[in-house]
Amino acid sequence: MYVNRARKNPYARRTVFDILSATVGLAVIAVGVISFIEPEENSWLFPIVFFLASIFQCLLGIPRMMGGHGRGSGRKKALGIALFFLAGILLMLGVVGALCLWR
């Protein structure tokens, strides 16, 4: 039986993005909960929450931007662009929060 070894497994890339997204998502939740337990002492964690959320949105947007051709691919790419736009907003909020805290 002939096996094409030159073709890479398309599920490997998707699995990596899923694992990274789950890890960053859990980190956002953990840091968010820790920062809201005692906000006065852990105020330095708020910009980190925004930075992690920005990374999370980018990880969600990359597979949609790399979507294939055919029916519905335009919608997926539009969703990917929207996720990157949201990531940019979250990144700006993180920078503003960090500047306000360290001023």
Side-chain angles (χ1 to χ4, degrees):
M1 181 173 177
Y2 176 74
V3 177
N4 186 1
R5 297 190 192 277
R7 186 172 180 205
K8 293 183 180 180
N9 187 0
Y11 298 110
R13 189 179 337 163
R14 191 178 311 164
T15 304
V16 169
F17 279 115
D18 288 344
I19 290 171
L20 284 174
S21 295
T23 305
V24 174
L26 289 174
V28 168
I29 292 170
V31 173
V33 167
I34 291 170
S35 66
F36 278 108
I37 289 176
E38 298 206 18
E40 292 84 20
E41 293 179 13
N42 298 327
S43 63
W44 58 275
L45 289 174
F46 285 106
I48 295 173
V49 171
F50 286 114
F51 291 136
L52 285 174
S54 175
I55 292 169
F56 182 68
Q57 292 299 319
C58 286
L59 286 173
L60 290 178
I62 289 171
R64 286 169 178 82
M65 291 296 291
M66 295 182 344
H69 304 285
R71 190 173 189 169
S73 66
R75 290 184 198 147
K76 288 181 184 177
K77 289 188 185 208
L79 180 60
I81 291 170
L83 288 172
F84 276 112
F85 181 73
L86 182 62
I89 292 173
L90 289 169
L91 184 66
M92 285 190 287
L93 286 173
V95 169
V96 168
L99 289 175
C100 289
L101 281 175
W102 293 317
R103 193 179 217 205

